Amino acid sequence: MNILRYILIGLIQVSSLLSFSQDLKPRFEHIGTDEGLSHSAVFCILHDDKGFMWFGTPDGLNKYDGSELTVYKNDPENPRSIGNSIINTLFKDKQNRIWVGTANGGLSLFDQESGNFINYKFGKHKIVSIAQDQNGNLWLGTLGQGIFYFNIKTKKYVRYECKLSNPKSLSRDQVRNVLIDKKGTLWVATIKGGGLNRFVKPNSFIRYMHDPANPLSISSNETWRLFEDSRGN
């Protein structure tokens, strides 16, 4: 009887697990231009602290509240509109503010109270990546103009670029990603053969390049994305 009881209990547990697993079948909700998305190509996605989803596209920034989309586009007649309608990257800072990196329109900060934008221009640069350091200031990676350090309080910036005559400069101006690790170190991923760069204060870089003779070197000089794991690697 005990054996039969254990078998019955086991069957009930298996049945419950199977029923539970069936309830976990994924369901996908499609959000496209028919639902109001400004463009079918999405370059970047961000989830803010209020629960909104943000989608950056080649034709505007979209805010999704779960049922409706609000689209933000550049209006040349309105200086409080977003700097450019081509949205390359989105970033939420430590204060939960949303920063937008655009193509040729500089950096845009979303004002949640008014629904407008505060724009900061550094020339016609394609901002493709944003990171925030321990002091709250921003580092901006651009595709073709190196990186910019932006002091949020003073609104001033410093540019770091590739100088072929200086091996301690940024290896390439074609930046794809910037990351600040848990120790506060800035890392810069570049393409066009630039490899990986580590910033050393006050204004130099250490380059990590692929070496065919060294199996422990970085695998490629085309570095696109950076990620720090839970162990700080």
Side-chain angles (χ1 to χ4, degrees):
M1 291 295 294
N2 287 337
I3 295 175
L4 180 60
R5 183 178 64 181
Y6 292 145
I7 292 174
L8 288 173
I9 292 173
L11 289 174
I12 291 171
Q13 290 176 336
V14 171
S15 177
S16 298
L17 288 172
L18 289 174
S19 176
F20 180 71
S21 65
Q22 290 174 356
D23 292 338
L24 290 179
K25 287 183 178 179
R27 296 175 58 189
F28 295 92
E29 179 181 348
H30 298 274
I31 305 170
T33 53
D34 290 342
E35 290 71 36
L37 193 69
S38 61
H39 198 283
S40 58
V42 176
F43 290 165
C44 49
I45 300 174
L46 183 142
H47 182 223
D48 70 17
D49 64 309
K50 293 180 171 57
F52 295 115
M53 295 296 299
W54 296 80
F55 306 101
T57 78
D59 189 28
L61 176 64
N62 301 254
K63 181 176 74 171
Y64 184 58
D65 64 3
S67 59
E68 295 182 355
L69 283 155
T70 302
V71 179
Y72 302 92
K73 293 186 180 184
N74 174 256
D75 179 359
E77 303 298 323
N78 180 10
R80 301 285 285 174
S81 68
I82 196 166
N84 192 285
S85 294
I86 303 175
I87 313 302
N88 290 326
T89 188
L90 296 168
F91 179 77
K92 181 177 69 174
D93 68 14
K94 298 173 183 177
Q95 292 74 41
N96 291 316
R97 296 175 298 185
I98 297 173
W99 297 84
V100 187
T102 71
N104 303 326
L107 182 69
S108 294
L109 172 63
F110 181 66
D111 185 346
Q112 299 188 28
E113 296 294 328
S114 66
N116 294 322
F117 292 85
I118 303 170
N119 298 308
Y120 306 95
K121 293 192 175 182
F122 312 95
K124 293 184 177 181
H125 306 314
K126 296 179 180 179
I127 299 175
V128 296
S129 184
I130 304 171
Q132 187 176 32
D133 64 23
Q134 295 171 335
N135 296 319
N137 299 311
L138 300 181
W139 292 83
L140 315 173
T142 72
L143 193 59
Q145 300 294 328
I147 60 175
F148 288 84
Y149 166 77
F150 180 58
N151 188 305
I152 290 181
K153 291 183 178 180
T154 65
K155 305 300 186 292
K156 294 183 179 180
Y157 65 87
V158 177
R159 180 186 174 194
Y160 296 87
E161 60 184 321
C162 174
K163 297 180 180 179
L164 297 178
S165 60
N166 181 6
K168 292 185 178 181
S169 69
L170 187 67
S171 62
R172 292 291 186 277
D173 287 332
Q174 290 76 18
V175 175
R176 291 304 313 184
N177 198 219
V178 292
L179 179 143
I180 295 175
D181 65 22
K182 295 175 182 177
K183 296 180 180 179
T185 302
L186 171 70
W187 297 85
V188 184
T190 69
I191 55 174
K192 303 294 183 180
L196 178 64
N197 295 252
R198 177 166 61 91
F199 181 64
V200 180
K201 296 178 181 179
N203 56 8
S204 63
F205 292 85
I206 294 177
R207 302 174 181 180
Y208 298 89
M209 309 291 287
H210 174 64
D211 180 0
N214 181 7
L216 299 180
S217 68
I218 193 169
S219 60
S220 171
N221 290 330
E222 304 299 306
T223 53
W224 287 73
R225 296 291 297 175
L226 298 169
F227 177 78
E228 182 181 15
D229 66 19
S230 59
R231 296 183 177 181
N233 297 315

